[in-house]
Amino acid sequence: MTTEQATSRNDTLFARAQLTTPGGVNSPVRAFRSVGGTPRFITRALGPHFWDADGKRYIDYIGSWGPAILGHARPEVVSAVQAAAANGLSFGAPTEGEIEIAEEICRLLPSIEQVRLVSSGTEATMSALRLARGATGRDKIVKFEGCYHGHADSLLVKAGSGLLTFGNPTSAGVPEDFVKHTLVLDYNDVAQLEDAFATMGDEIACVIVEPVAGNMNLIRATPEFLQSMRDLCTKHGAVLIFDEVMCGFRVGLQGAQGMYGIQPDLTALGKVIGGGMPVAAFGGRAELMQKMAPIGPVYQAGTLSGNPVAVAAGMTTLKLIQEAGFYERLSATANRLVAGLTEAAREAGIDFCGDAVGGMFGMYFSKEVPGSYSEMMAGDKERFNRFFHGMLDEGVYFAPAMFEAGFVSIQHDDAAIDETIEAARRVFKRIG
Ligand code: KE4
């Protein structure tokens, strides 16, 4: 069945969903508005595959936007969830499992001496920002164009008109006042960062960055960019926050901070540490984390924070990603995919390139891998959209937006990658 034909059950469900839920989805990117067409309603998933409401099978390169690093419905994770659930779903009281996952996170990421569990990446970054402001007594924060850190008000902001002007809201409902302290700079632009600190360094509470960006497709930070950020924050007493909600445990066992060898003051985590269930976290230097309620003045709370069933999924996932050779295999898979897609596009004479870092990858309909948001946005969106739908018809499900990264799991075997590349060969020839 092709996208052009009515995808009967998906269409029916999408029409019904829109009656009770805005856009028919519980998170905007799922609505296919960037690529057009009808979102696929998924009924089940296993390994590298999932199936839609019409029973069509796809090779899945979303992986729930990062969490499904082990492949879907991994038996060990499902069993751990079932066992935990049989003992009750949530207590609103501390459990030993929360201690165990906290200890594991601190052991794997040495920059994290103490950690607080929350239920989403948005909560993790929002809380880290509040902690940075509470710890420094400063209001200003620095973020970068193209980085997404969840939907906390002060982070829904795009660059202002001038280079060092404060941001403008990107969402209705966010008062100007809520973003007037948010400075938005260009990713990988060291000079701008130096200028910002030169002019207002003693007013900056923190810098928050995706050290490997995955929300403007995949874009790597340059080592110089991150090192300058580290040095400037240290010099001016600002808190450096690495938002590793997506790249944490996705690009390697020590995340981007291990890959670059740079220690942030705080780290936000999510996705992989929940293994598909709602676990996220923020953590870092103990003297910072000690300022969190109930022992410190910075408040943060959550009914389901550290939920025992979700923690069981997360802890089992964190154990399984430590098996020997895991990231070597994951990285080899992502690189083989990108190389195969690039070769298939070259055969069809299409400007296309890709990049892969650990188990996440980027695809760009341009001649060169972008290094910034504006370079990424210069890519051929129309051709991406035709490619997306062509691949969807072939049973390959990439991210339904040009500005998203893609993800492989440890269960994306050679057969899945070969099938994807063969499908791409056919689609590239068709879209020409
Ligand atoms: P959540 O609140 O969606 O759990 O996490 C927010 C977040 C924070 N930081 C980074 C680096 C993130 O990538 C995210 C969320 N990522 C998106 C993917 N573009 C989630 C998908 C969605 O919004 O539906």
Side-chain angles (χ1 to χ4, degrees):
M1 180 174 287
T2 66
T3 299
E4 286 66 41
Q5 295 164 348
T7 43
S8 56
R9 189 117 172 76
N10 293 299
D11 276 340
T12 308
L13 289 171
F14 191 37
R16 185 175 142 209
Q18 292 174 79
L19 299 177
T20 53
T21 300
V25 293
N26 287 304
S27 199
V29 71
R30 305 177 190 171
F32 274 27
R33 295 181 73 86
S34 179
V35 292
T38 300
R40 299 310 192 257
F41 282 69
I42 304 307
T43 57
R44 68 185 179 93
L46 181 64
H49 301 111
F50 55 29
W51 286 259
D52 75 8
D54 288 327
K56 180 171 181 166
R57 189 202 75 165
Y58 300 87
I59 301 170
D60 169 28
Y61 288 103
I62 302 272
S64 179
W65 301 101
I69 197 167
L70 296 175
H72 290 296
R74 179 72 179 256
E76 299 93 324
V77 178
V78 173
S79 301
V81 166
Q82 288 169 331
N87 290 326
L89 298 182
S90 178
F91 315 125
T95 62
E96 186 175 0
E98 292 162 79
I99 306 171
E100 288 168 350
I101 197 170
E103 290 171 342
E104 194 68 0
I105 290 169
C106 293
R107 189 178 65 80
L108 291 170
L109 296 177
S111 72
I112 298 181
E113 295 170 336
Q114 288 220 320
V115 64
R116 171 64 60 81
L117 302 178
V118 294
S119 300
S120 72
T122 293
E123 273 191 275
T125 57
M126 177 178 68
S127 308
L129 284 187
R130 187 179 307 131
L131 174 54
R133 285 171 156 157
T136 60
R138 302 173 182 177
D139 294 338
K140 289 182 172 49
I141 62 175
V142 175
K143 79 173 291 287
F144 300 93
E145 189 82 83
C147 288
Y148 174 69
H149 304 291
H151 60 90
D153 282 342
S154 55
L155 290 166
L156 289 180
V157 58
K158 60 181 183 294
S161 50
L163 282 184
L164 286 189
T165 56
F166 287 92
N168 306 313
T170 53
S171 168
V174 175
E176 294 278 345
D177 266 8
F178 281 35
V179 297
K180 68 181 182 184
H181 298 301
T182 306
L183 186 59
V184 185
L185 304 180
D186 289 334
Y187 197 77
N188 279 330
D189 189 324
V190 173
Q192 265 189 24
L193 193 58
E194 289 170 341
D195 289 350
F197 273 94
T199 55
M200 55 190 90
D202 59 355
E203 300 171 64
I204 295 173
C206 65
V207 176
I208 184 166
V209 68
E210 288 185 66
V212 174
N215 289 285
M216 46 176 158
N217 212 310
L218 166 67
I219 294 186
R220 301 167 186 250
T222 63
E224 300 73 28
F225 180 55
L226 293 181
Q227 192 57 58
S228 70
M229 205 177 288
R230 175 63 282 171
D231 297 342
L232 288 162
C233 283
T234 303
K235 179 180 174 187
H236 293 272
V239 174
L240 176 57
I241 303 172
F242 273 10
D243 178 353
E244 296 217 39
V245 166
M246 182 184 283
C247 58
F249 303 115
R250 170 54 65 173
V251 299
L253 192 54
Q254 272 74 45
Q257 55 195 268
M259 198 173 90
Y260 284 93
I262 292 179
Q263 288 223 346
D265 301 304
L266 292 176
T267 299
L269 296 168
K271 297 181 191 276
V272 169
I273 69 167
M277 296 283 281
V279 179
F282 66 100
R285 287 193 283 113
E287 46 120 352
L288 280 175
M289 294 301 289
Q290 295 288 308
K291 298 187 184 298
M292 294 304 299
I295 52 177
V298 180
Y299 193 72
Q300 172 272 331
T303 302
L304 298 178
S305 296
N307 173 271
V309 181
V311 163
M315 188 66 192
T316 307
T317 300
L318 286 179
K319 287 297 185 194
L320 290 171
I321 62 174
Q322 296 180 59
E323 66 186 16
F326 183 90
Y327 284 97
E328 288 77 6
R329 284 166 36 220
L330 196 73
S331 178
T333 299
N335 280 293
R336 213 161 77 72
L337 172 68
V338 166
L341 293 174
T342 305
E343 177 56 21
R346 191 194 58 74
E347 288 166 4
I350 288 177
D351 286 342
F352 176 98
C353 55
D355 192 10
V357 184
M360 64 194 277
F361 63 89
M363 304 185 292
Y364 323 95
F365 282 82
S366 53
K367 292 185 187 305
E368 289 176 11
V369 175
S372 70
Y373 176 73
S374 56
E375 288 174 13
M376 184 279 297
M377 289 304 282
D380 186 338
K381 182 173 184 288
E382 288 320 306
R383 193 170 249 171
F384 168 82
N385 288 357
R386 290 200 300 277
F387 176 72
F388 170 82
H389 280 291
M391 293 301 280
L392 202 63
D393 292 344
E394 295 273 353
V396 178
Y397 193 116
F398 283 122
M402 184 179 81
F403 50 80
E404 296 286 359
F407 306 92
V408 296
S409 80
I410 202 68
Q411 294 198 310
H412 281 71
D413 56 11
D414 287 350
I417 301 303
D418 292 343
E419 187 180 333
T420 303
I421 294 165
E422 283 316 304
R425 202 163 261 124
R426 293 191 291 273
V427 172
F428 280 131
K429 285 197 172 65
R430 280 206 298 273
I431 65 175

